Amino acid sequence: MKIRTSLLTAVVLVNAVLAASSTDEDYGYSLPVYPSPMGGRISGDWSDAYTKARAFVSQLTLLEKVNLTTGTGWEMGRCVGNTGEIPRIGFPSLCLQDSPLGIRFTDLNSVFPAGLATAATFNKNLMYLRGKAMGMEFKGKGINAILGPCMGPIGRAPEGGRNWEAFGADPYLQGVASYESVLGIQEEGVIATAKHYLLNEQEHFRQYAEWVGLYTNLSAPYSANVDERALREIYAWPFADAIRAGAASIMCSYNQANNSQACQNSYLLNGILKDELGFQGFVMSDWLGQRSGVASVLAGLDMTMPGDGLVWSDGVSLLGSNLTTAVLNGSVPLWRLDDMATRIMAAYYKVGQNPLTYPEPNFSSWTLSDYGLEIAGSLEGPTGLVNKHVDVRTALSRQVTRQIAQESMVLVKNTNNALPLNNVRRLGLFGSAAGPPPLGPNGCSDRGCDNGTLGIGWGSGTANYPYLLTPLEVINAMAIVQGTSVQYNLDDYDLDNVATLAGVVDTAIVFITADSGEGYLDVEGNIGDRNNLSAWHGGDNLVTAVASENSNTIVVVESVGGIDLEAWIEHVNVTAVLFSLVPGQDVGVGIADILYGTVSPSGKLPFTIAKKTSDYPATVIYDVIEPVPQINFSESIFVDYRHFDKYDIEPRYEFGFGLSYTTFQISGLSVTRLNGVVDSEVPPEPPSYSSPLYLNGSVPSPSSAIYPGDIPRYSHYIYPYIEKDIAESITYNPDDYPYPEGYSDIQPSKPSPAGGASGGNPALWDVLVQVKASITNNGTTGGSEVLQLYVSYPAVDGVDFPVRALRGFEKLSASPGETSTANFDLLRRDLSYYDVASRNWLLPRGTYTVSIGTSSRNLVEAGTFSF
Ligand SMILES: *[C@@H]1O[C@H](CO)[C@@H](O)[C@H](O)[C@H]1NC(C)=O
Ligand SMILES: *[C@@H]1O[C@H](CO)[C@@H](O)[C@H](O)[C@H]1NC(C)=O
Ligand SMILES: *[C@@H]1O[C@H](CO)[C@@H](O)[C@H](O)[C@H]1NC(C)=O
Ligand SMILES: *[C@@H]1O[C@H](CO)[C@@H](O)[C@H](O)[C@H]1NC(C)=O
Ligand SMILES: *[C@@H]1O[C@H](CO)[C@@H](O)[C@H](O)[C@H]1NC(C)=O
Ligand SMILES: *[C@@H]1O[C@H](CO)[C@@H](O)[C@H](O)[C@H]1NC(C)=O
Ligand SMILES: *[C@@H]1O[C@H](CO)[C@@H](O)[C@H](O)[C@H]1NC(C)=O
Ligand SMILES: *[C@@H]1O[C@H](CO)[C@@H](O)[C@H](O)[C@H]1NC(C)=O
Ligand SMILES: *[C@@H]1O[C@H](CO)[C@@H](O)[C@H](O)[C@H]1NC(C)=O
Ligand SMILES: *[C@@H]1O[C@H](CO)[C@@H](O)[C@H](O)[C@H]1NC(C)=O
Ligand SMILES: *[C@@H]1O[C@H](CO)[C@@H](O)[C@H](O)[C@H]1NC(C)=O
């Protein structure tokens, strides 16, 4: 028998597993966890969905179940991902569509603020409303699942190309934003996809095929090697919140973790996700992130996307016909296929979808023309009306994009009340980022260029702009009202003329950028990840040229993250610095509203800005010689501010920092340990699983799976059927498969100690302590402040805690003289650490400190409590 790649990969996995059993102490080996936990065995809000899903899947044939699990191939349907249909019962193809900030590849949709901008608002209600507004738009175009929200990367390396798609460099902030996003999206009836699971922290070497051209030694994507605590306390943490909110799907990532692909890593998928975090929905692969067949399925993968397996658009799937064969030959047990299909349908019912009422896609990702091929990727088949150009934008979309654009602006410097601008007579604007992109807002494919004002980064996490408001436009409009003369020079390199003009205006505003995106696009030599943390297009020189001639130089940094500000931040003429963190289509209005004081700034940095690049705990690995790049996350839990605090490094601007036009006084801190709740060191045991419910059914004969004679077989289209000669060669023999070490078919009766419900052991979500604090606006103008709560832990032998960890935030608004109060609930989870030995979350004994303030370093009041 010819050895298939899937089998080869499986053997590699077995080797890794064998090695693991002898060298548990080593980094870089992934422990086996089998079997894949069957869905529907925890009580609670998924029961109804599972009842419906089991009834649905019970009536399906083998081929129909396989169709649910497998994409039809790249561009083989309207959406970026399309599952096979079930025509016999009128069940449609499911439409899965990018992106976390808006509908990709279409028109008359919104470009919402990116995750990073959303995080910078620190406003939970806006996070929720953004999810809701996106849910409405996605449903309006007939999309079943949005490929978002994005809660990884966390941003361990500040240069990481996709950091801006997610919610900042702190797991708690990411977790809250993910929770609110999932609620909002799914309340509108759309499946939310929490991604990228897990450890996809850089673009370089994330995929083999993308990088082997440049690095010929490469044989596999990088392996992220991370310890147990960081895995749970940092990287998986926000996924727990998403699952707690009911996230119905999870996307596994391209990279390897401990030398096993994230999409076939049984420790990550069966172990942490489906057991410890009690995930009840389905796991889909990132596009071509699946690298093996049977091994991935046994490890917990439920759906392959876009259907093509090892190679784009070749029409060959690792599931599809191969999954049919694998069930027929007994390598994949029937119950596992049933579980895959049931999980997919449970997700569908969980959000309330129904084939009779849910709209079908009325757009095509592959053309903006009205008519086109229905199955674009096959270059054949029927043509039809593929774009109805439905305008799915709502009043809520407009409100949310504008408000997040305003509330995400982070003012980090403001001397002599340079801002807000007040009836400036002669204003000068400098830098290409003040104006429009020369090729139009959508001139570069997937926003793959840094031209003009920066609304979002580049890659698949983007959408087409309906419009892109530039700062120049909005400032010009204000100039008419205020009688200002506006002059500008938008050439980043025309320094002599820039300096001359800067010398003859009263106030100068310089716009500079830093961009990044996904690794399949190279923008000015940056292959996804940023090559450096400096401003692009000579931004430092531009600022210096202006500031040397103008004593009121205001800098607007339009960027995907922190940048190195040191060349000019202390320049006496640089009076104000404002960060715009990719807030989407309304970038210009967001910036101008802050510059003019239409609203007081209230954004906070969702990451730390260092004085030196070497001060950060980690960096992107750009160059490798070995076949499988090993990236040790040796900073462990000490990412971002946790690192600066631990080593007492003074940052330029700390996590959580941001100025306002008014001032606030913090008072009235009270800390109350609740009575009558279990606050033992070890949490109560989670509830047992209900017994597994196996669907009736048996493996059919291979002949029942042969291609029917009467279907059109479109070129490169992926079907569930098998060829006649293959059918004749299949024998059912489960014992023939080289199952990985530790493989078992028997479902455990109880979860691991950390598991038991959506998001983990339900006791982890118990409120143990309540904290209250107030702000009083003692300034002269209205504004909002983000009260931040950080916890410091009691000492435990052998456990390294962060100096402090964000464990609560509330955005409060107040007019002058007014007081607003925030209430914080501290959960058992917030106060615990993951103990590797007992595989459980422990609540340390001793005294905790709660600090309240307006940034991670401006902590004004503190209180304590003990267990
Ligand atoms: C990676 O290996 C380390 C060290 O053995 C282990 O603590 C960790 O759980 C492993 N992570 C994964 C994802 O397998
Ligand atoms: C599987 O889906 C394809 C369309 O994607 C459809 O043509 C085919 O009939 C489906 N097969 C079964 C058995 O439902
Ligand atoms: C099964 O997967 C392997 C690996 O991609 C591929 O070579 C083979 O053609 C697939 N078989 C079918 C029937 O699609
Ligand atoms: C069963 O079929 C699958 C899919 O083609 C294949 O990967 C697996 O190796 C087969 N099992 C055996 C024992 O040959
Ligand atoms: C989009 O088109 C589908 C199918 O034609 C239709 O069911 C749905 O109502 C349309 N959506 C809107 C908002 O018109
Ligand atoms: C526009 O983008 C191109 C390609 O990324 C780049 O080379 C060029 O410098 C950019 N131009 C401006 C004015 O930003
Ligand atoms: C940093 O990268 C940007 C984008 O490629 C480039 O414009 C800039 O010159 C680089 N800066 C330094 C100091 O290398
Ligand atoms: C600040 O601006 C003034 C012009 O207003 C200029 O004379 C002075 O040299 C500038 N300072 C520096 C340090 O460049
Ligand atoms: C490939 O690996 C060899 C041996 O480790 C090394 O000498 C060589 O520099 C590597 N080549 C590249 C392009 O990284
Ligand atoms: C990663 O950690 C392992 C185990 O500690 C070590 O052997 C290896 O050299 C490290 N790799 C790198 C690239 O630092
Ligand atoms: C407002 O309160 C802050 C914090 O206590 C204080 O620093 C500031 O002086 C107060 N401002 C006024 C105008 O009282």
Side-chain angles (χ1 to χ4, degrees), residues 78 136-137 139-142 357-363 388 390-392:
R78 300 272 182 98
M136 289 176 180
E137 293 201 5
K139 183 172 180 182
K141 293 272 188 191
T357 55
Y358 204 81
E360 290 197 33
N362 46 39
F363 71 101
K388 291 193 185 164
V390 180
D391 189 344
V392 291

Side-chain angles (χ1 to χ4, degrees), residues 15-82:
N15 289 342
V17 162
L18 289 175
S21 45
S22 51
T23 55
D24 279 357
E25 298 304 313
D26 292 349
Y27 246 15
Y29 293 104
S30 205
L31 295 171
V33 181
Y34 295 100
S36 193
M38 197 186 269
R41 299 182 61 206
I42 61 174
S43 60
D45 49 1
W46 280 82
S47 345
D48 194 36
Y50 265 92
T51 306
K52 290 179 179 151
R54 285 193 192 102
F56 183 92
V57 175
S58 299
Q59 54 165 347
L60 302 186
T61 66
L62 168 65
L63 294 167
E64 290 168 343
K65 291 171 197 170
V66 169
N67 250 5
L68 277 178
T69 67
T70 303
T72 54
W74 181 238
E75 300 192 8
M76 299 294 184
R78 300 272 182 98
C79 304
V80 302
N82 310 275

Side-chain angles (χ1 to χ4, degrees), residues 25 98 140 207 328 372 387 589 668 683 691 764:
E25 298 304 313
D98 292 316
Q207 286 193 81
L328 291 171
N387 276 306
V589 77
S691 347
L764 292 172

Side-chain angles (χ1 to χ4, degrees), residues 708-731:
D710 57 352
I711 60 155
R713 285 183 65 172
Y714 296 113
S715 166
H716 295 93
Y717 194 87
I718 291 164
Y719 296 95
Y721 310 105
I722 55 175
E723 304 292 354
K724 191 159 182 284
D725 57 330
I726 297 216
E728 280 160 3
S729 73
I730 295 176
T731 52

Side-chain angles (χ1 to χ4, degrees), residues 621-635:
I621 307 294
Y622 296 97
D623 202 9
V624 291
I625 51 165
E626 71 264 44
V628 186
Q630 299 294 313
I631 305 185
N632 292 346
F633 287 21
S634 38
E635 74 288 349

